[in-house]
Amino acid sequence: MIAALNNDANNLYTVLTARQLKPDLHIVARAITHNSHEKLIRAGADKTVSPNEIGGHRMAAMLLKPSVIAFLDTITHSGQIDLNLNEAVIHASSDICNKTLMEANIPEQTDLIIIAIKNKDDEKIIFNPTKDHLLTPGQTLIALGDDDDLKKLKELAGS
């Protein structure tokens, strides 16, 4: 659930109510003021997002790292190149499960770049995984490519 109402009090009330009604619900809440992040988390939000903070960081990055931002714009919003970041969870029954990245042959089968792998049981993200990384059930592959190839990856992973 996304709580993105116009003020922190409404988002806080929505998060509290949703968490009470459905304890296992994944909740992302909008934080208007800087000090509301912690309150929303205590109320039951899994994650918080502050559009104002994100906008400020982005503006600073445009000045300090213009080529990086141009690249990110290209892969996320531009109509010039149709690339997206997406994810696929590895299921135990999939063909790539319990294989190394090299054995799974993902780039050859999908034309995707595997940027990172997130482990199932923790928040640890492995950036630029090696060819010897073992793919196990529950891991999430984070990949860059076009939508058709991302669909292929989800099929390979059993998602």
Side-chain angles (χ1 to χ4, degrees):
M1 181 191 85
I2 296 174
L5 300 168
N6 62 351
N7 64 55
D8 288 330
N10 289 344
N11 287 325
L12 187 64
Y13 183 75
T14 301
V15 168
L16 278 167
T17 303
R19 182 60 65 214
Q20 183 181 18
L21 292 172
K22 192 161 174 49
D24 62 336
L25 182 66
H26 188 75
I27 302 172
V28 178
R30 177 181 180 198
I32 309 292
T33 61
H34 182 70
N35 63 355
S36 62
H37 291 280
E38 185 181 328
K39 291 175 186 172
L40 288 161
I41 296 294
R42 280 188 299 184
D46 295 294
K47 299 285 183 184
T48 62
V49 175
S50 172
N52 292 338
E53 289 177 23
I54 291 169
H57 288 289
R58 175 134 175 116
M59 291 169 67
M62 288 173 130
L63 288 174
L64 299 172
K65 303 180 259 185
S67 296
V68 171
I69 297 304
F71 170 74
L72 291 173
D73 281 346
T74 298
I75 65 170
T76 57
H77 323 14
S78 174
Q80 300 166 354
I81 301 174
D82 192 21
L83 296 178
N84 289 306
L85 284 170
N86 211 326
E87 62 184 52
V89 177
I90 300 171
H91 290 267
S93 61
S94 74
D95 292 337
I96 62 173
C97 187
N98 296 316
K99 291 184 178 178
T100 65
L101 265 177
M102 188 166 84
E103 293 168 337
N105 250 358
I106 293 169
E108 290 78 5
Q109 295 186 65
T110 64
D111 288 330
L112 293 174
I113 300 168
I114 302 298
I115 294 176
I117 298 174
K118 182 183 174 299
N119 288 325
K120 176 184 179 183
D121 297 326
D122 59 31
E123 292 296 313
K124 182 179 176 187
I125 295 178
I126 301 159
F127 292 99
N128 194 21
T130 66
K131 63 183 180 183
D132 298 324
H133 182 90
L134 184 65
L135 303 174
T136 58
Q139 285 182 329
T140 301
L141 302 175
I142 301 168
L144 174 67
D146 70 33
D147 286 337
D148 290 338
D149 290 327
L150 291 163
K151 287 178 190 171
K152 290 179 195 173
L153 176 62
K154 288 187 178 199
E155 289 171 9
L156 283 173
S159 297

